[in-house]
Amino acid sequence: MSAQFPVARPRRLRRTPALRRLVAETRLSPADLILPMFVKEGITEPQPVPSMPGVFQHTRDSLRKAAHEAAEAGVGGVILFGVPAAKDGTGSAADDPDGIVQLALRDLNADLGDATVIMTDLCLDEYTDHGHCGVLTASGEIDNDATLERYASIAVAQAEAGAAVVGPSGMMDGQVAAIREALDGAGHPDVAIMAYSAKYASAYYGPFRDAAECAPQFGDRSTHQQDPANADEALREVFLDLDEGADMVMVKPAGAYLDVVRRVRDAVEVPVLAYQVSGEYAMIEAAAEKGWIDRDRTIMESLLSIRRAGADIALTYWATEVARKLRTS
Protein backbone atom coordinates (compact mmCIF):
# COMPACT_ATOMS: atom_id res chain seq x y z
CA MET A 1 0.00 0.00 0.00
CA SER A 2 1.20 3.49 -0.85
CA ALA A 3 -1.60 5.62 0.64
CA GLN A 4 -1.30 6.48 4.31
CA PHE A 5 -3.55 8.18 6.83
CA PRO A 6 -5.37 10.55 6.43
CA VAL A 7 -5.92 9.46 2.81
CA ALA A 8 -6.15 5.78 3.75
CA ARG A 9 -9.03 5.20 6.15
CA PRO A 10 -9.93 1.49 6.43
CA ARG A 11 -12.85 2.39 8.69
CA ARG A 12 -14.71 3.75 5.64
CA LEU A 13 -15.59 0.17 4.69
CA ARG A 14 -16.81 -0.68 8.20
CA ARG A 15 -19.20 2.27 8.54
CA THR A 16 -22.54 0.52 7.98
CA PRO A 17 -23.83 -3.05 8.16
CA ALA A 18 -24.43 -3.00 4.41
CA LEU A 19 -20.83 -1.97 3.69
CA ARG A 20 -19.44 -4.57 6.05
CA ARG A 21 -21.59 -7.22 4.40
CA LEU A 22 -20.51 -6.11 0.93
CA VAL A 23 -16.77 -6.41 1.61
CA ALA A 24 -16.83 -9.44 3.93
CA GLU A 25 -13.98 -11.79 3.05
CA THR A 26 -15.55 -14.88 4.61
CA ARG A 27 -19.17 -15.96 4.29
CA LEU A 28 -21.32 -18.70 5.72
CA SER A 29 -24.14 -20.39 3.89
CA PRO A 30 -26.47 -23.22 4.98
CA ALA A 31 -24.84 -25.54 2.46
CA ASP A 32 -21.52 -25.17 4.31
CA LEU A 33 -22.94 -26.93 7.38
CA ILE A 34 -23.41 -30.57 8.41
CA LEU A 35 -25.63 -31.55 11.35
CA PRO A 36 -24.43 -34.45 13.55
CA MET A 37 -27.41 -36.49 14.82
CA PHE A 38 -27.77 -39.31 17.33
CA VAL A 39 -30.35 -42.08 16.90
CA LYS A 40 -30.88 -44.55 19.74
CA GLU A 41 -32.45 -47.96 19.58
CA GLY A 42 -35.21 -48.91 22.02
CA ILE A 43 -36.46 -45.50 23.17
CA THR A 44 -39.97 -44.16 22.58
CA GLU A 45 -39.28 -40.44 23.10
CA PRO A 46 -36.24 -38.31 22.22
CA GLN A 47 -33.85 -38.09 25.16
CA PRO A 48 -32.11 -34.78 25.96
CA VAL A 49 -28.33 -34.95 26.32
CA PRO A 50 -27.72 -33.18 29.67
CA SER A 51 -24.24 -31.91 28.78
CA MET A 52 -25.40 -30.61 25.37
CA PRO A 53 -28.51 -28.45 25.81
CA GLY A 54 -30.69 -28.64 22.73
CA VAL A 55 -29.18 -31.92 21.48
CA PHE A 56 -31.12 -35.19 21.66
CA GLN A 57 -30.76 -38.90 21.31
CA HIS A 58 -33.48 -39.40 18.73
CA THR A 59 -36.03 -42.07 18.09
CA ARG A 60 -36.40 -43.05 14.45
CA ASP A 61 -39.46 -40.82 14.18
CA SER A 62 -37.94 -37.78 15.89
CA LEU A 63 -34.80 -38.22 13.78
CA ARG A 64 -36.91 -38.06 10.63
CA LYS A 65 -38.55 -34.85 11.83
CA ALA A 66 -35.23 -33.21 12.78
CA ALA A 67 -33.59 -34.26 9.52
CA HIS A 68 -36.52 -32.86 7.55
CA GLU A 69 -36.15 -29.55 9.42
CA ALA A 70 -32.42 -29.49 8.61
CA ALA A 71 -33.04 -30.14 4.92
CA GLU A 72 -35.79 -27.53 4.82
CA ALA A 73 -33.37 -24.99 6.30
CA GLY A 74 -30.87 -25.79 3.54
CA VAL A 75 -28.29 -27.61 5.69
CA GLY A 76 -25.74 -29.27 3.42
CA GLY A 77 -25.83 -32.67 5.09
CA VAL A 78 -26.56 -34.75 8.17
CA ILE A 79 -24.27 -37.35 9.71
CA LEU A 80 -25.69 -40.19 11.79
CA PHE A 81 -24.30 -41.72 14.98
CA GLY A 82 -26.03 -44.82 16.30
CA VAL A 83 -26.60 -45.99 19.87
CA PRO A 84 -27.64 -49.68 19.84
CA ALA A 85 -29.68 -51.41 22.51
CA ALA A 86 -27.07 -54.15 22.92
CA LYS A 87 -23.28 -53.93 22.68
CA ASP A 88 -20.59 -56.60 22.48
CA GLY A 89 -16.86 -56.97 22.05
CA THR A 90 -16.86 -56.69 18.25
CA GLY A 91 -19.64 -54.14 17.82
CA SER A 92 -21.81 -56.56 15.86
CA ALA A 93 -24.76 -54.14 15.76
CA ALA A 94 -22.71 -51.76 13.61
CA ASP A 95 -23.06 -53.81 10.42
CA ASP A 96 -26.34 -55.54 11.21
CA PRO A 97 -28.68 -54.83 8.24
CA ASP A 98 -31.38 -54.16 10.84
CA GLY A 99 -29.08 -52.12 13.09
CA ILE A 100 -30.30 -48.71 14.20
CA VAL A 101 -28.21 -46.66 11.77
CA GLN A 102 -29.12 -48.85 8.81
CA LEU A 103 -32.82 -48.52 9.66
CA ALA A 104 -32.45 -44.76 10.05
CA LEU A 105 -30.65 -44.51 6.72
CA ARG A 106 -33.54 -46.20 4.97
CA ASP A 107 -35.99 -43.86 6.71
CA LEU A 108 -34.12 -40.73 5.70
CA ASN A 109 -33.55 -41.81 2.13
CA ALA A 110 -37.26 -42.54 1.76
CA ASP A 111 -38.17 -39.17 3.27
CA LEU A 112 -35.53 -36.85 1.84
CA GLY A 113 -34.09 -38.40 -1.31
CA ASP A 114 -31.46 -35.97 -2.56
CA ALA A 115 -32.71 -32.98 -0.54
CA THR A 116 -29.61 -33.22 1.66
CA VAL A 117 -26.50 -35.40 1.84
CA ILE A 118 -27.02 -38.35 4.19
CA MET A 119 -23.76 -39.37 5.82
CA THR A 120 -22.70 -41.87 8.47
CA ASP A 121 -20.01 -42.02 11.10
CA LEU A 122 -18.11 -45.27 10.67
CA CYS A 123 -16.53 -46.45 13.89
CA LEU A 124 -17.03 -49.07 16.58
CA ASP A 125 -16.91 -47.15 19.85
CA GLU A 126 -20.69 -46.62 19.99
CA TYR A 127 -21.23 -50.36 19.44
CA THR A 128 -18.61 -52.08 21.62
CA ASP A 129 -19.15 -52.96 25.25
CA HIS A 130 -15.62 -51.77 26.06
CA GLY A 131 -16.11 -48.39 24.33
CA HIS A 132 -13.00 -48.55 22.17
CA CYS A 133 -12.84 -47.89 18.43
CA GLY A 134 -11.76 -51.36 17.42
CA VAL A 135 -11.47 -55.04 18.14
CA LEU A 136 -9.29 -55.85 21.15
CA THR A 137 -6.52 -58.39 21.52
CA ALA A 138 -6.43 -60.77 24.46
CA SER A 139 -4.22 -58.28 26.29
CA GLY A 140 -6.67 -55.40 25.77
CA GLU A 141 -4.85 -53.59 22.96
CA ILE A 142 -6.62 -52.51 19.79
CA ASP A 143 -5.96 -54.94 16.95
CA ASN A 144 -5.54 -52.54 14.03
CA ASP A 145 -5.81 -55.06 11.18
CA ALA A 146 -8.70 -57.04 12.65
CA THR A 147 -10.49 -53.73 13.11
CA LEU A 148 -10.05 -52.92 9.42
CA GLU A 149 -12.10 -56.02 8.58
CA ARG A 150 -14.90 -54.73 10.77
CA TYR A 151 -14.76 -51.26 9.23
CA ALA A 152 -14.96 -52.75 5.74
CA SER A 153 -18.07 -54.71 6.67
CA ILE A 154 -19.71 -51.69 8.31
CA ALA A 155 -19.01 -49.54 5.25
CA VAL A 156 -20.78 -52.00 2.98
CA ALA A 157 -23.76 -52.27 5.35
CA GLN A 158 -24.10 -48.50 5.51
CA ALA A 159 -23.76 -48.12 1.74
CA GLU A 160 -26.40 -50.78 1.10
CA ALA A 161 -28.75 -48.96 3.49
CA GLY A 162 -28.31 -45.72 1.52
CA ALA A 163 -25.36 -43.74 2.91
CA ALA A 164 -24.03 -41.30 0.32
CA VAL A 165 -20.87 -40.63 2.35
CA VAL A 166 -19.17 -42.72 5.04
CA GLY A 167 -16.92 -41.12 7.62
CA PRO A 168 -14.33 -43.44 9.17
CA SER A 169 -13.40 -41.85 12.49
CA GLY A 170 -11.43 -44.59 14.23
CA MET A 171 -7.94 -43.43 13.15
CA MET A 172 -6.80 -46.96 12.34
CA ASP A 173 -3.85 -47.24 9.96
CA GLY A 174 -5.06 -48.27 6.51
CA GLN A 175 -8.75 -47.70 7.23
CA VAL A 176 -9.53 -45.66 4.12
CA ALA A 177 -7.94 -48.21 1.76
CA ALA A 178 -9.79 -51.09 3.43
CA ILE A 179 -13.10 -49.25 3.16
CA ARG A 180 -12.55 -48.14 -0.44
CA GLU A 181 -11.70 -51.68 -1.49
CA ALA A 182 -14.75 -53.08 0.29
CA LEU A 183 -17.13 -50.49 -1.17
CA ASP A 184 -15.83 -50.97 -4.69
CA GLY A 185 -15.90 -54.75 -4.39
CA ALA A 186 -19.51 -54.68 -3.17
CA GLY A 187 -20.68 -52.53 -6.07
CA HIS A 188 -20.67 -49.15 -4.32
CA PRO A 189 -17.94 -47.19 -6.13
CA ASP A 190 -19.97 -43.97 -5.95
CA VAL A 191 -20.14 -43.86 -2.14
CA ALA A 192 -17.71 -41.18 -0.99
CA ILE A 193 -15.29 -41.37 1.94
CA MET A 194 -14.99 -38.42 4.30
CA ALA A 195 -11.82 -39.26 6.20
CA TYR A 196 -11.38 -38.12 9.78
CA SER A 197 -7.73 -37.65 8.85
CA ALA A 198 -6.54 -35.40 11.67
CA LYS A 199 -8.59 -36.48 14.66
CA TYR A 200 -6.90 -35.50 17.88
CA ALA A 201 -6.99 -37.23 21.27
CA SER A 202 -8.90 -34.30 22.68
CA ALA A 203 -10.51 -33.40 26.00
CA TYR A 204 -13.19 -31.57 24.01
CA TYR A 205 -15.07 -34.81 23.26
CA GLY A 206 -16.49 -35.33 26.76
CA PRO A 207 -20.15 -34.41 26.11
CA PHE A 208 -20.21 -36.49 22.91
CA ARG A 209 -19.49 -39.58 24.96
CA ASP A 210 -22.68 -38.89 26.91
CA ALA A 211 -24.65 -38.53 23.68
CA ALA A 212 -23.20 -41.61 21.98
CA GLU A 213 -22.74 -43.62 25.21
CA CYS A 214 -19.24 -44.55 24.14
CA ALA A 215 -16.86 -43.63 26.95
CA PRO A 216 -13.97 -46.16 27.09
CA GLN A 217 -14.36 -48.61 29.95
CA PHE A 218 -10.59 -48.51 30.51
CA GLY A 219 -7.65 -46.54 29.15
CA ASP A 220 -8.04 -43.86 26.52
CA ARG A 221 -7.62 -43.36 22.76
CA SER A 222 -4.17 -41.84 22.69
CA THR A 223 -2.67 -44.86 20.90
CA HIS A 224 -4.66 -44.13 17.74
CA GLN A 225 -5.92 -40.53 17.85
CA GLN A 226 -3.34 -37.81 17.23
CA ASP A 227 -1.24 -36.12 19.88
CA PRO A 228 -2.44 -32.50 20.37
CA ALA A 229 1.21 -31.42 20.29
CA ASN A 230 1.65 -32.41 16.63
CA ALA A 231 0.74 -30.56 13.44
CA ASP A 232 3.20 -31.99 10.88
CA GLU A 233 1.80 -35.42 11.70
CA ALA A 234 -1.65 -34.21 10.65
CA LEU A 235 -0.42 -33.56 7.13
CA ARG A 236 1.13 -37.02 6.98
CA GLU A 237 -2.21 -38.56 7.97
CA VAL A 238 -4.05 -36.44 5.40
CA PHE A 239 -1.73 -37.46 2.56
CA LEU A 240 -1.95 -41.13 3.54
CA ASP A 241 -5.75 -40.97 3.48
CA LEU A 242 -5.78 -39.26 0.10
CA ASP A 243 -3.41 -41.86 -1.30
CA GLU A 244 -5.79 -44.55 -0.04
CA GLY A 245 -8.80 -43.00 -1.77
CA ALA A 246 -10.36 -40.41 0.55
CA ASP A 247 -12.61 -37.91 -1.21
CA MET A 248 -12.68 -35.35 1.63
CA VAL A 249 -10.55 -34.82 4.73
CA MET A 250 -11.44 -33.58 8.18
CA VAL A 251 -9.77 -31.90 11.14
CA LYS A 252 -11.35 -32.62 14.53
CA PRO A 253 -11.80 -30.67 16.82
CA ALA A 254 -12.09 -27.36 14.99
CA GLY A 255 -11.70 -24.42 17.35
CA ALA A 256 -8.45 -25.38 19.07
CA TYR A 257 -6.90 -26.63 15.81
CA LEU A 258 -7.52 -23.79 13.35
CA ASP A 259 -3.81 -23.73 12.58
CA VAL A 260 -4.09 -27.34 11.42
CA VAL A 261 -7.17 -26.52 9.34
CA ARG A 262 -5.22 -23.80 7.54
CA ARG A 263 -2.21 -26.04 6.93
CA VAL A 264 -4.41 -28.79 5.51
CA ARG A 265 -6.34 -26.34 3.34
CA ASP A 266 -3.09 -25.00 1.89
CA ALA A 267 -1.79 -28.50 1.18
CA VAL A 268 -4.68 -30.28 -0.54
CA GLU A 269 -7.10 -29.83 -3.42
CA VAL A 270 -10.08 -31.72 -1.97
CA PRO A 271 -12.82 -30.42 0.34
CA VAL A 272 -11.62 -29.77 3.89
CA LEU A 273 -14.02 -30.20 6.78
CA ALA A 274 -13.71 -29.24 10.44
CA TYR A 275 -15.82 -30.63 13.27
CA GLN A 276 -17.00 -28.16 15.91
CA VAL A 277 -17.20 -30.81 18.58
CA SER A 278 -19.39 -31.36 21.61
CA GLY A 279 -17.09 -29.61 24.07
CA GLU A 280 -16.97 -26.49 21.91
CA TYR A 281 -20.77 -26.53 21.74
CA ALA A 282 -21.21 -27.18 25.46
CA MET A 283 -18.83 -24.42 26.55
CA ILE A 284 -20.61 -21.77 24.49
CA GLU A 285 -24.04 -22.91 25.65
CA ALA A 286 -22.92 -22.98 29.30
CA ALA A 287 -21.30 -19.54 29.18
CA ALA A 288 -24.35 -18.12 27.42
CA GLU A 289 -26.68 -19.64 30.01
CA LYS A 290 -24.66 -17.85 32.69
CA GLY A 291 -25.03 -14.58 30.78
CA TRP A 292 -21.27 -14.30 30.31
CA ILE A 293 -21.32 -14.12 26.50
CA ASP A 294 -23.71 -13.19 23.71
CA ARG A 295 -24.79 -16.64 22.55
CA ASP A 296 -25.86 -15.86 18.98
CA ARG A 297 -22.87 -13.68 18.16
CA THR A 298 -20.45 -16.21 19.65
CA ILE A 299 -21.93 -19.06 17.62
CA MET A 300 -21.64 -17.12 14.38
CA GLU A 301 -18.13 -15.90 15.18
CA SER A 302 -16.96 -19.41 16.01
CA LEU A 303 -18.25 -20.75 12.69
CA LEU A 304 -16.84 -17.85 10.71
CA SER A 305 -13.44 -18.52 12.28
CA ILE A 306 -13.60 -22.14 11.09
CA ARG A 307 -14.43 -21.02 7.56
CA ARG A 308 -11.81 -18.24 7.68
CA ALA A 309 -9.14 -20.76 8.67
CA GLY A 310 -9.87 -22.62 5.44
CA ALA A 311 -12.55 -25.22 6.13
CA ASP A 312 -15.00 -25.56 3.26
CA ILE A 313 -17.54 -27.28 5.48
CA ALA A 314 -18.21 -27.23 9.23
CA LEU A 315 -19.89 -29.98 11.23
CA THR A 316 -21.83 -28.25 13.99
CA TYR A 317 -24.70 -29.07 16.33
CA TRP A 318 -26.10 -25.61 15.56
CA ALA A 319 -26.41 -26.36 11.84
CA THR A 320 -30.18 -26.08 11.54
CA GLU A 321 -30.45 -23.03 13.80
CA VAL A 322 -27.67 -21.21 11.99
CA ALA A 323 -28.98 -22.17 8.56
CA ARG A 324 -32.37 -20.68 9.39
CA LYS A 325 -30.77 -17.44 10.55
CA LEU A 326 -28.63 -17.22 7.43
CA ARG A 327 -31.66 -17.64 5.19
CA THR A 328 -33.55 -14.83 6.91
CA SER A 329 -30.69 -12.37 7.37
Side-chain angles (χ1 to χ4, degrees):
M1 291 178 61
S2 57
Q4 302 293 323
F5 177 84
V7 174
R9 292 180 181 266
R11 286 185 57 204
R12 289 188 189 114
L13 298 183
R14 305 177 198 146
R15 190 167 53 86
T16 67
L19 270 170
R20 293 192 295 273
R21 186 168 59 247
L22 179 69
V23 301
E25 298 173 24
T26 305
R27 302 181 192 276
L28 276 174
S29 75
D32 301 332
L33 307 174
I34 293 172
L35 176 66
M37 307 181 78
F38 304 95
V39 58
K40 183 173 180 177
E41 187 175 21
I43 58 174
T44 58
E45 297 290 337
Q47 303 295 311
V49 179
S51 55
M52 299 177 70
V55 174
F56 295 85
Q57 293 177 321
H58 285 287
T59 67
R60 286 172 63 186
D61 285 342
S62 69
L63 183 85
R64 295 170 84 162
K65 181 177 184 293
H68 176 79
E69 291 171 352
E72 191 173 50
V75 169
V78 299
I79 182 167
L80 303 184
F81 296 84
V83 184
K87 305 187 180 192
D88 57 31
T90 61
S92 59
D95 54 347
D96 182 343
D98 294 319
I100 187 61
V101 164
Q102 281 68 259
L103 294 175
L105 282 167
R106 296 187 187 100
D107 291 341
L108 297 191
N109 274 283
D111 290 351
L112 300 175
D114 293 328
T116 194
V117 179
I118 302 171
M119 316 168 80
T120 50
D121 177 73
L122 198 168
C123 196
L124 280 171
D125 55 339
E126 300 109 289
Y127 300 93
T128 55
D129 52 12
H130 47 72
H132 283 285
C133 301
V135 179
L136 301 183
T137 65
S139 62
E141 303 292 328
I142 291 181
D143 186 329
N144 188 96
D145 295 1
T147 299
L148 298 185
E149 295 179 19
R150 296 291 298 123
Y151 287 1
S153 181
I154 297 165
V156 172
Q158 292 178 345
E160 291 180 348
V165 180
V166 297
S169 59
M171 291 295 287
M172 296 296 119
D173 293 340
Q175 63 183 15
V176 172
I179 290 166
R180 184 74 271 160
E181 181 179 3
L183 289 171
D184 292 353
H188 301 290
D190 293 332
V191 172
I193 298 175
M194 174 186 66
Y196 286 62
S197 298
K199 180 179 180 182
Y200 284 85
S202 173
Y204 286 88
Y205 302 149
F208 174 92
R209 291 171 183 169
D210 294 337
E213 300 181 12
C214 63
Q217 296 303 300
F218 59 89
D220 59 26
R221 295 174 180 150
S222 298
T223 65
H224 47 289
Q225 295 176 358
Q226 275 193 229
D227 185 341
N230 296 350
D232 291 345
E233 183 185 20
L235 292 178
R236 184 184 185 205
E237 291 277 9
V238 165
F239 292 139
L240 285 168
D241 283 350
L242 290 174
D243 286 345
E244 292 176 16
D247 300 285
M248 301 178 274
V249 295
M250 184 199 294
V251 176
K252 180 183 180 182
Y257 296 86
L258 296 180
D259 61 318
V260 179
V261 173
R262 169 46 59 189
R263 290 186 64 177
V264 172
R265 173 69 284 162
D266 289 344
V268 304
E269 297 179 351
V270 299
V272 174
L273 300 90
Y275 197 145
Q276 186 178 53
V277 298
S278 59
E280 298 173 73
Y281 176 93
M283 288 191 298
I284 290 174
E285 289 287 355
E289 191 275 330
K290 290 283 190 181
W292 294 341
I293 59 173
D294 181 318
R295 177 183 180 275
D296 291 354
R297 286 186 62 191
T298 304
I299 291 169
M300 296 303 289
E301 186 176 340
S302 68
L303 289 168
L304 276 170
S305 73
I306 293 167
R307 291 279 286 117
R308 190 185 66 244
D312 302 290
I313 300 165
L315 288 78
T316 176
Y317 299 97
W318 289 300
T320 302
E321 176 185 342
V322 169
R324 286 172 175 158
K325 289 176 180 175
L326 291 171
R327 296 186 74 171
T328 58
S329 61

